[in-house]
Amino acid sequence: MEPFEIFLQSGVRIATPLLLAALGELLAEKAGLINIGIEGKLLAGAFAAFVVAASTGSLWAGVLAAMLAGLALAVLFGVFCIALRNDQIVTGAALNFLALGGTGMGYQLLYGQTGSAATVAPFAEWNLFSLENIPLVGPALFSQTILTYLAIWIALLFAFLHTRTRLGFHLAAVGEHPRAADAAGIPVNGVRWCAILIEGLLGGLAGASLSLSLSNTFNEGMSNGRGFIALAIVIFGRWNPLGVLGGALFFGAATALQLLLQASNIVWLSANYPYLQMLPYLLTLLVLAAALGTSRSPRAIGQHYHRE
Amino acid sequence: MPKWLTSIFSILFLLPSSTPAKDFKVGLLTPGPVSDKGWNAGAYEGLLAIETRLGAKISHVQVKTPAEHEEHFRSYADEGYSLVFGHGFEFQDAARRVGADFPETVFITTSGNTVTQNVGAMVFELEEATYILGFLAGKMSASGVVGMVGGVEIPSVESTFIAFEAGAKAGNSGIRALRTYTGSWEDTALARDATLAQISQGADFIFHNANEGGPGVFQAVSENRSKNVFAFGSNKDQNAEAPDVILASAVIDLPGAFVQLAERVKSGSYKPGVTRFGLASGVISVALNPNLSGRIPDPLRAEMEDLKGRIVSGKLKVPRGNF
């Protein structure tokens, strides 16, 4: 493969956990919930996936465990924020800390205080119909692991549901004007519960992609802020599934680009690598600034709903 | 109750009654989790060795911000700890400030140059080992390109890169040396993609000093094993982590260094200063992977031994960063 093909492939790969996490968050925000606890779901998912895959030898068992771990955090969020009507931001932050501390303690209990170099054989790239031989974009689109293909298909499915079905309409109604939705017979909190549970499953899956697809191991704090980038990607994508897909790919490509530039050994670039490290974040900020005024969040985001 | 849990509780509840004042008490602050199999794990193993070999009461806290550095230095000193280690360059300012208030406690930072009446530093000349690894890479690289992957750019890491690059140039004056910082000590996945980018630029020998980025580097190199790409381990002997691709590791015997200094503090013979550990001390070494050592031709091995001799005798000064 040519360096440019490797760069594109790397960009799509890096986008995978961001895309899965951002799609989950998109769903929750559409329903009027803001959950800043995605980072915690990524970590919990990565941890559960690695532990179960390493002990059972089955990657899919690991993926399932990751989704259940994400689901468990989502249930906590739902109980506190939907049933008990707590503050969503505070709850999300608390769940992040719970996941960071919980996975760290669990890892040390299972693998010893100073850690061990345990690894799993991760998901391998799947080459689809020899299409990976297409110049330039072949490896990026047709030589990825199954979790990457899955993430892209989920994005397309969401896009279809979002614009073409009653389901998407109900979701938007609950997030925009819950009282009117309720009057129209849509079970507001039921829809919110569904959204948050699916977000949990997707957040866990995103974590699994981190420890079983993008790498082959777990370590404390390995999510490295991806959950917060996912939050930005939802805004970047203007609360639209295809926008989120584009945003995740954009950020992934920008990250891969800065790695390529650092490795390119162009002297003046290498000497200024802190600017290269900033590149993905800077570009994201620029796009967000350009999108200002042309998009807005769901009106009822962060607000509780209860009948008087 | 496991010991680490006990130590967490003793910090949380500040139990002074459990430890009489005459005990030799040693504390450790690490900038990251001790489960990292690298820099922090080595320090924690050192602390455990101090407990078993010197009968000390030990305690450890993981800290993030400079405010926490100072707070935890202060609470250890306040509880009558004789010796507190701050495991990194970044602990110097807090050690200087708290040291002035607690003259009875000795503060030692790993790397750094801050010295007062009761504050000292230990410096690991890992550069002496990374220079030899660089030389090996320069001599063996078929592509004429070698790579270095770092976590966060701090002077002690950059310095090991300066030495690696100088060693590679000593082995092959026309070598190109690539350098990537991921900006994180924990992001294994990003380190893998950073390494793949270097390999796409032709690098065939890759040294890392990225802590938990290391497994990502090894994974990327393993994927390219058929292209004869090799990796080097750092800080600990990591050869067994990917025995098919790690040619050698630049090793710091952190536990050995920690015990040496703690012994001196316990016996009262410690004089605050910058204690240097290099190849000559045995704390720093190059560990070849027995699994792959057949790949290194005998004459090259002899050259490496010669280099080592010249470094130990002081005839060869290894280039390093200014810090």
Side-chain angles (χ1 to χ4, degrees):
Chain A
M1 271 186 278
E2 298 299 310
F4 191 75
E5 293 175 343
I6 291 173
F7 147 70
L8 285 180
Q9 188 190 27
S10 168
V12 176
R13 176 167 53 227
I14 292 170
T16 304
L18 299 170
L19 177 57
L20 286 166
L23 286 170
E25 179 67 15
L26 169 70
L27 201 62
E29 292 193 13
K30 275 281 179 195
L33 298 164
I34 178 135
N35 182 2
I36 66 162
I38 326 173
E39 180 79 1
K41 292 198 177 93
L42 272 164
L43 259 185
F47 175 67
F50 174 72
V51 170
V52 171
S55 55
T56 63
S58 160
L59 291 173
W60 287 108
V63 169
L64 186 69
M67 293 174 77
L68 291 177
L71 195 67
L73 285 176
V75 168
L76 278 176
F77 185 87
V79 166
F80 279 105
C81 296
I82 302 175
L84 300 174
R85 299 201 289 267
N86 268 310
D87 187 90
Q88 296 177 10
I89 299 288
V90 174
T91 307
L95 290 178
N96 279 337
F97 286 120
L98 177 71
L100 184 63
T103 55
M105 197 177 83
Y107 183 73
Q108 294 195 13
L109 285 174
L110 288 171
Y111 294 94
Q113 280 166 273
T114 50
S116 86
T119 54
V120 295
F123 282 106
E125 271 100 22
W126 247 20
N127 294 332
L128 295 185
F129 321 114
S130 300
L131 289 173
E132 78 278 7
N133 296 322
I134 298 173
L136 297 182
V137 298
L141 297 178
F142 304 107
S143 181
Q144 297 285 356
T145 70
I146 186 159
L147 296 187
T148 300
Y149 298 130
L150 198 61
I152 292 169
W153 278 109
I154 293 172
L156 298 178
L157 175 72
F158 273 25
F160 175 77
L161 294 176
H162 176 65
T163 50
R164 300 293 162 110
T165 66
R166 191 175 283 270
L167 218 58
F169 181 74
H170 284 183
L171 190 67
V174 167
E176 290 292 335
H177 204 311
R179 198 158 299 282
D182 194 6
I186 302 171
V188 173
N189 284 340
V191 169
R192 288 186 169 181
W193 265 109
C194 283
I196 199 69
L197 293 181
I198 295 173
E199 191 207 17
L201 294 172
L202 288 174
L205 186 60
S209 77
L210 206 52
S211 60
L212 301 183
S213 178
L214 271 73
S215 78
N216 60 5
T217 187
F218 174 83
N219 57 59
E220 291 185 47
M222 77 181 297
S223 50
N224 192 23
R226 285 178 177 80
F228 296 100
I229 297 297
L231 278 170
I233 286 174
V234 174
I235 303 170
F236 185 115
R238 304 182 189 192
W239 289 273
N240 177 310
L242 292 179
V244 165
L245 173 63
L249 290 173
F250 180 84
F251 189 86
T255 306
L257 177 65
Q258 73 95 351
L259 292 177
L260 180 71
L261 290 176
Q262 283 202 64
S264 68
N265 202 29
I266 302 168
V267 174
W268 63 270
L269 272 179
S270 306
N272 292 301
Y273 68 88
Y275 298 99
L276 294 178
Q277 285 179 359
M278 259 190 262
L279 188 74
Y281 305 94
L282 210 61
L283 288 175
T284 305
L285 264 180
L286 281 176
V287 176
L288 282 179
L292 259 181
T294 60
S295 71
R296 58 165 190 82
S297 59
R299 269 184 226 282
I301 200 162
Q303 296 169 13
H304 305 298
Y305 180 70
H306 57 110
R307 289 178 176 168
E308 259 120 61
Chain B
M1 194 162 21
K3 208 154 282 153
W4 61 273
L5 209 58
T6 323
S7 46
I8 290 173
F9 279 126
S10 61
I11 295 154
L12 282 177
F13 304 112
L14 304 174
L15 299 168
S17 54
S18 64
T19 44
K22 62 177 168 50
D23 282 338
F24 181 55
K25 294 197 281 188
V26 180
L28 166 70
L29 309 187
T30 59
V34 297
S35 65
D36 69 354
K37 311 146 211 146
W39 178 246
N40 298 305
Y44 191 71
E45 282 163 9
L47 189 69
L48 294 178
I50 289 171
E51 181 188 38
T52 49
R53 308 245 290 264
L54 306 179
K57 301 262 179 204
I58 59 163
S59 169
H60 159 252
V61 201
Q62 180 188 329
V63 289
K64 263 269 187 278
T65 63
E68 285 181 325
H69 297 173
E70 182 158 347
E71 178 194 332
H72 288 282
F73 269 147
R74 213 170 271 287
S75 73
Y76 274 138
D78 210 29
E79 287 177 65
Y81 274 67
S82 320
L83 169 62
V84 187
F85 291 101
H87 194 45
F89 191 79
E90 62 269 39
F91 287 90
Q92 293 177 79
D93 288 342
R96 181 196 293 278
R97 276 197 298 275
V98 179
D101 295 344
F102 294 92
E104 298 299 307
T105 303
V106 173
F107 297 87
I108 296 179
T109 62
T110 24
S111 69
N113 49 22
T114 301
V115 177
T116 72
Q117 279 186 337
N118 58 330
V119 176
M122 55 176 144
V123 169
F124 300 108
E125 310 269 15
L126 189 62
E127 294 85 355
E128 297 183 349
T130 64
Y131 181 86
I132 295 176
L133 292 185
F135 180 79
L136 174 63
K139 282 281 185 195
M140 286 186 67
S141 170
S143 63
V145 185
V146 296
M148 298 167 276
V149 177
V152 181
E153 196 247 349
I154 55 173
S156 49
V157 169
E158 177 63 17
S159 188
T160 60
F161 286 176
I162 290 171
F164 183 85
E165 183 169 353
K169 293 226 156 89
N172 170 359
S173 57
I175 206 99
R176 283 205 310 147
L178 315 179
R179 189 173 309 203
T180 304
Y181 283 103
T182 64
S184 163
W185 299 120
E186 281 101 28
D187 202 330
T188 315
L190 195 60
R192 175 184 169 216
D193 273 291
T195 309
L196 290 173
Q198 288 195 345
I199 294 172
S200 83
Q201 296 297 306
D204 60 357
F205 282 81
I206 295 172
F207 171 67
H208 89 87
N209 198 344
N211 226 19
E212 293 178 89
V217 174
F218 301 148
Q219 189 189 356
V221 172
S222 298
E223 288 168 58
N224 287 279
R225 205 178 132 204
S226 60
K227 293 183 199 153
N228 277 322
V229 181
F230 293 95
F232 295 112
S234 73
N235 295 322
K236 288 183 84 173
D237 182 346
Q238 297 184 308
N239 295 345
E241 288 189 27
D244 295 333
V245 292
I246 304 178
L247 199 55
S249 293
V251 182
I252 309 176
D253 176 15
L254 281 166
F258 272 69
V259 170
Q260 273 193 37
L261 285 185
E263 252 168 353
R264 285 184 222 168
V265 171
K266 194 184 180 188
S267 68
S269 66
Y270 179 72
K271 298 269 175 296
V274 177
T275 315
R276 295 187 174 275
F277 294 101
L279 283 172
S281 71
V283 166
I284 303 295
S285 61
V286 172
L288 296 179
N289 179 359
N291 202 30
L292 293 176
S293 53
R295 297 253 179 180
I296 307 171
D298 285 337
L300 179 52
R301 249 179 230 251
E303 281 185 274
M304 288 166 68
E305 280 303 314
D306 177 55
L307 268 186
K308 189 181 163 190
R310 278 160 53 208
I311 292 169
V312 168
S313 67
K315 277 188 207 130
L316 175 63
K317 275 268 166 247
V318 168
R320 47 172 295 146
N322 268 325
F323 69 96

